[in-house]
Amino acid sequence: MHNQDQALIFELSTPGRIGYSLPEMDVPELDLSALLPDGYLRTEEPELPEVSELDIMRHYTALSRRNHGVDSGFYPLGSCTMKYNPKINENVARFNGFAHVHPLQDESSVQGALELLYDLQEHLIEITGMDEVTLQPAAGAHGEWTGLMMIRAYHEANGDMNRTKVIVPDSAHGTNPASASIAGFETITVKSNEHGLVDLEDLRRVVGEDTAALMLTNPNTLGLFEENILELAEIVHGAGGKLYYDGANLNAVLSKARPGDMGFDVVHLNLHKTFTGPHGGGGPGSGPVGVKVDLIPFLPKPIIAKRGEEFVLDYDRPQSIGRVKPFYGNFGINVRAYTYIRSMGPDGLKAVTEYAVLNANYMMRRLAEYYELPFDRHCKHEFVLSGRRQKKLGVRTLDIAKRLLDFGYHPPTIYFPLNVEECIMIEPTETESKETLDSFVDIMIQIAKEVEENPEIVQEAPHTTVVGRMDETKAARKPVLKYQQA
Ligand SMILES: *Cc1c(COP(=O)(O)O)cnc(C)c1O
């Protein structure tokens, strides 16, 4: 840790210090009051820090070094797919023709941008096995809600007004029940069996004439492939419900299996996960939704259509659920995903899946000796361990996560999914080398040994970070959300 980082302070202002110097003004001063209505002009000087350019540069550079990102270290955050974001994506997103278009420009002047979006949709249709795709939703959860609103509109258009329930497995991502509830449905939980898969008996029990849809993540959040997927689809379709596929983590099946072929009616993807959009910290995401043919009329409008050689925004969609995002989604992230898909090609995308799955299984096998493995079977892109053995020795999974910080790693996802006690959920992704995987595993093994021999060092971690252990209860109950001068 550099001294500069330790000494980071916020009160840098020195009266009179400035970041630039301009020559004396030699033209008449503009009379702003003639341009702006009364009340819009400030009457006092703004209170801004008075700093030099160098002061501000060092301040922000020091702040940036307190962040952990994929570009600075391993980030095995299960379910979040923190994979490397290739820099060619950034280059392309900055092309003038993409970066400098305005969303209110006439369609005829943004044909290239529309063509890129149209072509991206075509690729996603191919990848998911669906019939049509919208790029409007700005995130995975937004895609879920959009998909469920379409399912709702579909049932209503059929006069099927009593389908008020959405079935969600107990291992589902928290956004699934939340989206269902915001879309006006009641959620029914279906249990997992002892293998970590949806319990078909329990599903048969809860499914019925009031079922609007089943939302399923496959592979599920335990990293396991739902092997009874076709039977599951039959049960739900048999009862008149629709099948929703949470494809946020498509990394595990990309170019190998398609939700459309498994019988699903709706799927959302997270372009900011599988398709290398930068994410975390709330950057703009993209959660496109693909649908089968009978849901096409309900897609958000406008849709991008091709008329002859021309690309147009089609608003003439009487059954559409309406617009779900201003303009046409987060354009920049869609450009990045498109660049990724084109630069990888079909063979590259297949290799993604193979390495993502290989990496996860490799780490799982190496760690299984030191941490409990609740579901001892071949995993997909991620796997879960349980810290139960360590908890018996007085060390919680949270302590292990904090100890990892001392070695420069972002911890895995912990305490999720909820159906595994002291859960540790690891997703290495395909972009990491064997050396990185091995170093991380070595440290996890070292921590397991520390738990047995010297638990305090783990319980009191982190020791090397700028900020130590937080009082999590106080942070949740009494959050201080803005900077307070000491
Ligand atoms: C990340 C994730 C989501 C939510 O995606 P956001 O873009 O964060 O809204 C939904 N489901 C699963 C399985 C996920 O991993």
Side-chain angles (χ1 to χ4, degrees):
M1 199 56 54
H2 296 261
N3 288 339
Q4 232 160 299
D5 277 0
Q6 300 281 17
L8 188 66
I9 44 168
F10 284 81
E11 295 311 321
L12 297 172
S13 192
T14 303
R17 188 168 291 169
I18 49 173
Y20 62 90
S21 32
L22 295 177
E24 284 283 311
M25 187 141 80
D26 58 359
V27 290
E29 195 162 347
L30 204 60
D31 180 14
L32 286 174
S33 61
L35 295 172
L36 286 170
D38 282 351
Y40 281 88
L41 278 179
R42 82 163 52 246
T43 49
E44 286 154 34
E45 286 289 309
E47 266 185 66
L48 294 173
E50 297 179 75
V51 289
S52 72
E53 184 173 324
L54 181 57
D55 290 338
I56 203 80
M57 201 63 212
R58 287 201 178 135
H59 177 72
Y60 282 114
T61 303
L63 270 182
S64 78
R65 291 210 305 240
R66 289 187 167 192
N67 265 332
H68 186 93
V70 184
D71 288 351
S72 51
F74 189 42
Y75 206 142
L77 194 63
S79 197
C80 294
T81 315
M82 304 305 290
K83 67 201 222 179
Y84 177 63
N85 311 139
K87 297 304 167 251
I88 188 175
N89 296 354
E90 301 304 316
N91 295 347
V92 175
R94 281 166 181 71
F95 284 179
N96 277 344
F98 294 139
H100 294 166
V101 290
H102 192 280
L104 290 176
Q105 261 174 254
D106 188 72
E107 282 160 32
S108 65
S109 69
V110 288
Q111 284 293 301
L114 292 177
E115 181 174 359
L116 178 137
L117 294 175
Y118 184 85
D119 212 24
L120 175 59
Q121 288 177 179
E122 294 293 298
H123 280 95
L124 297 179
I125 287 169
E126 172 68 28
I127 285 169
T128 55
M130 305 308 276
D131 295 320
E132 194 59 81
V133 161
T134 172
L135 301 173
Q136 273 191 41
H142 195 190
E144 290 167 25
W145 175 81
T146 303
L148 290 167
M149 291 304 282
M150 284 191 264
I151 289 174
R152 204 191 150 99
Y154 168 85
H155 288 312
E156 284 175 8
N158 289 338
D160 216 350
M161 311 307 264
N162 296 323
R163 295 197 177 268
T164 53
K165 294 183 180 159
V166 169
I167 303 172
V168 180
D170 58 4
S171 64
H173 196 272
T175 51
N176 289 189
S179 302
S181 144
I182 290 179
F185 292 107
E186 189 186 328
T187 21
I188 305 290
T189 308
V190 61
K191 284 203 290 269
S192 303
N193 62 23
E194 70 275 18
H195 306 297
L197 304 176
V198 171
D199 185 333
L200 291 187
E201 283 317 302
D202 201 39
L203 178 63
R204 283 202 185 87
R205 195 178 57 75
V206 297
V207 84
E209 284 176 3
D210 55 2
T211 301
L214 167 77
M215 294 183 88
L216 196 77
T217 311
N218 192 24
N220 65 26
T221 47
L222 297 167
L224 305 176
F225 191 85
E226 294 283 351
E227 52 198 20
N228 301 316
I229 193 89
L230 297 177
E231 200 177 341
L232 211 142
E234 240 175 68
I235 296 172
V236 176
H237 278 158
K242 288 282 176 200
L243 277 159
Y244 186 99
Y245 192 105
D246 180 333
N249 303 322
L250 211 70
N251 231 29
V253 295
L254 193 59
S255 290
K256 294 281 179 184
R258 308 192 306 169
D261 300 335
M262 299 177 206
F264 281 79
D265 304 288
V266 188
V267 57
H268 86 261
L269 305 176
N270 277 25
L271 298 191
H272 48 290
K273 289 182 182 169
T274 317
F275 297 92
T276 65
H279 67 129
S286 181
V289 177
V291 294
K292 283 286 178 60
V293 67
D294 41 351
L295 286 156
I296 291 179
F298 309 101
L299 281 168
K301 65 182 174 184
I303 64 160
I304 297 172
K306 194 173 177 186
R307 305 244 163 88
E309 287 306 299
E310 202 189 344
F311 297 92
V312 294
L313 293 172
D314 180 5
Y315 287 87
D316 186 17
R317 314 276 305 172
Q319 285 186 288
S320 165
I321 60 164
R323 207 190 251 292
V324 301
K325 173 89 178 69
F327 306 116
Y328 205 80
N330 284 326
F331 181 62
I333 185 86
N334 290 331
V335 175
R336 287 170 177 84
Y338 181 76
T339 307
Y340 178 66
I341 291 171
R342 295 304 303 267
S343 54
M344 295 299 280
D347 292 339
L349 293 180
K350 245 186 210 134
V352 163
T353 302
E354 287 164 4
Y355 283 107
V357 173
L358 178 65
N359 286 357
N361 278 280
Y362 174 70
M363 290 180 83
M364 179 175 81
R365 285 299 153 211
R366 277 203 67 198
L367 284 167
E369 213 182 301
Y370 302 89
Y371 294 86
E372 216 170 286
L373 182 63
F375 304 101
D376 188 358
R377 38 191 312 240
H378 193 67
C379 69
K380 286 282 172 275
H381 61 303
E382 64 192 4
F383 60 98
V384 299
L385 300 170
S386 165
R388 256 185 305 228
R389 197 183 296 168
Q390 286 72 24
K391 191 183 173 188
K392 288 197 192 106
L393 300 171
V395 176
R396 303 280 320 262
T397 290
L398 178 70
D399 303 324
I400 296 169
K402 296 290 183 197
R403 181 67 176 138
L404 279 168
L405 299 175
D406 284 337
F407 300 95
Y409 293 115
H410 194 288
T413 298
I414 56 171
Y415 300 111
F416 178 82
L418 305 174
N419 53 346
V420 173
E421 192 194 345
E422 295 294 311
C423 191
I424 305 173
M425 184 196 208
I426 300 178
E427 179 180 8
T429 81
E430 74 285 357
T431 54
E432 299 294 337
S433 67
K434 180 166 178 294
E435 289 78 8
T436 302
L437 304 183
D438 278 330
S439 321
F440 178 80
V441 169
D442 291 344
I443 293 300
M444 283 292 285
I445 294 172
Q446 180 186 322
I447 295 173
K449 289 181 181 154
E450 286 174 350
V451 171
E452 288 170 11
E453 292 156 13
N454 183 14
E456 294 80 32
I457 200 168
V458 186
Q459 286 157 336
E460 286 159 18
H463 304 275
T464 63
T465 52
V466 185
V467 178
R469 185 123 15 155
M470 305 284 178
D471 179 342
E472 311 231 344
T473 313
K474 193 172 166 197
R477 299 252 164 88
K478 292 189 179 155
V480 179
L481 299 176
K482 59 184 219 208
Y483 174 62
Q484 290 171 337
Q485 198 168 333

